[in-house]
Amino acid sequence: MNERTLPPTGGMSAASTEPRPQAGAVPTLAVEQRLQWLAAFAAALAQVGPEAFVECLTAWLLPAVADMYCLALVQPDGAIETRITAHADAHLHRLLTESRAWCYHDPSGAGVVAEVIRSGRPLFFPTMDHALYLAAARDAPHAELRSALQMHAGAVVPLLVQGQAIGALSIGIMAPERRLDQSDAGFLNEIAQRIALVLDNQQLRRQAQEAGEARDASLAIMAHELRTPIAALITQLQILRRRVDEADRYDERVLVGMKMLDTQVRRLNVLVDTLLEATYFDRQPRPLAHERFDVGQIVRRVHDAFLDTLTSHTLHLDLSREALIIEGDPLRIEQALQNLLQNAVKYSPYGGNITLRLERYGLHAQITISDEGIGIPPEARTRIFERFYRAANAINQGISGVGVGLYVVQAIIALHNGTIVVAETPAAGASFVVELPLAPA
Ligand code: ADP
């Protein structure tokens, strides 16, 4: 096989009109060089995306390793199809890619590709008996193609992932003086394993993306479905409240119960809203109001709404005396703070103190929400803002959640040109610091 230690310049070799050295024209690579070649080959394949995969593969394999190659892949339904093929000779390349004769392989048939995939073992043809090769063609077009290819030696190597063949790499050599030997067998196996790894990674990434999209879609549908009954509950509660207000006499306990219902339904509403927004945030950010408002009033409102609902936590409010005016959407800031406070409660299952502090910090309003709960492991401190990420301690302790709240909170804060970080806490618990730029006077 030809010497090639430098990454190729790219481009389908067959499409190029420049003369290329034939495989076997220079001596076989030394072991050391082969290892270097393999390392560079693997690095090049790992760097390209699925779109450029074939181009990259072709540029590396042709003609350094062979004059032609084909990749047959096992399809989800078990069928075996040759999906990728290339030849160093432009004319033969066209012939190969235009012909469909070689595309399908009977998975249980006698063809070598199917046999290699079934057995997981390579087959080498150090020299090819042309008469036999042509006789084994499936049909006339297949025989015609084989005859045109003038193959002199070849190999079919399985692409193995955890012992299972996901396909096969076939290579063909045209130069009659070229022989495939035992060292080529090992080299081709190594090449095939690197290709298999990249293909497997591509497949996993595709599956993960599809799963993510399916999860997004079902979450969005669920959230949409929940919105209608929640809206109905909110309306009914408003009607009930008006009736109670108009009544001459009512039981005080009814009022307490209604207030509790009201708080919980509103909390549910925020939760569902957050869920819906997390699935669509990237694509359709909601329009933002542009108002000047005192962030202190919002902090107080969030504090007051939570105060009544807490049983095992003590909520402290530490509010700046001066008005801290920011520009943006007060409802969205309220939504973000509600989320942070809900987390503070949820992630301190044994109760404790929760502090909500607002102060001026240079040209920013700084809001700190601290609790004495389970805390956030250092390795999770930045990752918790990713969509669907949940820290291990939260999962291990069985605290339920979806992992989208902080993603939305961070997006809302960013829309206000602000930042949110997890502060280092000397004691147990978590502390989130939000900074929002003050509006110019
Ligand atoms: P959820 O609470 O639904 O899991 P979030 O996006 O609100 O989603 O939070 C992401 C993760 O951040 C949580 O799963 C948890 O691991 C961690 N987290 C958030 N707030 C706190 C907190 N106050 N204390 C400890 N961990 C927290």
Side-chain angles (χ1 to χ4, degrees):
M1 289 173 198
N2 286 0
E3 182 164 8
R4 176 170 231 159
T5 48
L6 289 174
T9 47
M12 291 282 282
S13 56
S16 154
T17 49
E18 278 175 40
R20 283 174 170 270
Q22 293 295 298
V26 290
T28 304
L29 293 184
V31 174
E32 177 72 29
Q33 280 173 305
R34 281 191 165 175
L35 288 176
Q36 279 176 7
W37 188 97
L38 278 171
F41 171 65
L45 275 191
Q47 269 167 22
V48 297
E51 340 66 61
F53 174 72
V54 177
E55 197 177 340
C56 178
L57 195 60
T58 304
W60 277 83
L61 295 186
L62 305 186
V65 174
D67 293 312
M68 65 151 291
Y69 79 89
C70 297
L71 274 190
L73 300 173
V74 179
Q75 304 303 306
D77 61 0
I80 303 171
E81 287 178 23
T82 292
R83 285 288 175 94
I84 300 163
T85 184
H87 202 292
D89 178 279
H91 167 68
L92 293 174
H93 177 76
R94 223 176 1 262
L95 209 67
L96 252 182
T97 48
E98 281 170 7
S99 164
R100 310 293 297 160
W102 43 268
C103 274
Y104 302 101
H105 310 267
D106 176 2
S108 50
V112 283
V113 169
E115 191 186 326
V116 164
I117 289 178
R118 276 199 309 269
S119 69
R121 279 201 294 274
L123 282 177
F124 289 94
F125 306 96
T127 54
M128 221 112 93
D129 181 327
H130 243 275
L132 268 180
Y133 180 60
L134 292 184
R138 242 172 276 142
D139 45 31
H142 198 196
E144 215 171 292
L145 187 71
R146 285 191 162 193
S147 156
L149 289 175
Q150 289 290 317
M151 212 88 77
H152 179 75
V156 183
V157 196
L159 303 174
L160 295 172
V161 172
Q162 287 167 354
Q164 193 82 25
I166 61 163
L169 165 72
S170 310
I171 60 134
I173 285 162
M174 291 166 81
E177 69 280 8
R178 178 83 175 91
R179 295 276 178 278
L180 281 179
D181 61 25
Q182 208 44 49
S183 72
D184 291 328
F187 188 44
L188 285 171
N189 268 328
E190 293 292 334
I191 291 174
Q193 287 341 297
R194 277 149 185 86
I195 296 173
L197 195 69
V198 173
L199 286 174
D200 191 43
N201 280 344
Q202 283 178 4
Q203 159 97 344
L204 286 178
R205 238 177 272 136
R206 240 186 343 263
Q207 282 171 348
Q209 194 180 345
E210 279 163 17
E213 279 165 11
R215 179 173 56 184
D216 262 18
S218 38
L219 278 179
I221 291 166
M222 232 152 63
H224 259 300
E225 290 296 311
L226 283 169
R227 274 186 141 183
T228 317
I230 291 173
L233 277 174
I234 290 175
T235 317
Q236 278 305 319
L237 270 169
Q238 283 167 345
I239 294 170
L240 277 178
R241 178 172 281 278
R242 232 194 358 257
R243 291 210 179 127
V244 169
D245 285 348
E246 285 165 8
D248 299 335
R249 279 162 20 117
Y250 55 81
D251 189 331
E252 198 53 42
R253 283 171 302 180
V254 173
L255 211 60
V256 174
M258 269 179 47
K259 196 166 177 198
M260 202 269 272
L261 259 177
D262 192 60
T263 313
Q264 296 305 333
V265 169
R266 281 179 198 285
R267 186 175 284 186
L268 197 59
N269 202 27
V270 170
L271 218 68
V272 167
D273 242 25
T274 305
L275 205 59
L276 194 62
E277 198 163 13
T279 54
Y280 283 136
F281 211 102
D282 291 338
R283 282 152 270 179
Q284 327 172 325
R286 292 184 198 170
L288 204 67
H290 284 286
E291 293 172 24
R292 283 170 71 88
F293 61 95
D294 179 6
V295 73
Q297 285 182 6
I298 304 297
V299 173
R300 182 175 286 287
R301 194 154 78 208
V302 173
H303 166 267
D304 292 352
F306 262 79
L307 209 53
D308 291 340
T309 65
L310 300 177
T311 48
S312 48
H313 297 82
T314 312
L315 186 57
H316 305 272
L317 179 66
D318 184 356
L319 215 53
S320 154
R321 280 169 186 272
E322 66 172 318
L324 296 176
I325 308 294
I326 66 166
E327 221 166 58
D329 194 328
L331 284 178
R332 307 310 307 280
I333 296 294
E334 186 171 342
Q335 180 192 349
L337 296 181
Q338 278 173 341
N339 254 302
L340 292 170
L341 219 48
Q342 269 171 23
N343 275 352
V345 175
K346 183 164 84 169
Y347 292 105
S348 43
Y350 303 110
N353 293 299
I354 295 176
T355 308
L356 190 52
R357 178 179 303 120
L358 170 68
E359 57 197 332
R360 185 192 181 112
Y361 184 73
L363 293 174
H364 288 83
Q366 188 184 69
I367 307 162
T368 312
I369 297 111
S370 312
D371 62 62
E372 298 175 335
I374 65 168
I376 299 164
E379 69 279 4
R381 289 208 174 128
T382 49
R383 297 208 60 197
I384 53 173
F385 297 101
E386 290 170 20
R387 224 154 59 110
F388 300 118
Y389 181 86
R390 306 200 67 222
N393 62 341
I395 297 168
N396 293 341
Q397 296 195 34
I399 302 176
S400 66
V402 186
V404 295
L406 288 181
Y407 168 77
V408 173
V409 168
Q410 190 182 43
I412 293 173
I413 306 289
L415 285 173
H416 288 79
N417 299 317
T419 54
I420 176 166
V421 290
V422 176
E424 295 278 338
T425 38
S431 185
F432 286 85
V433 182
V434 176
E435 283 185 7
L436 294 162
L438 293 170

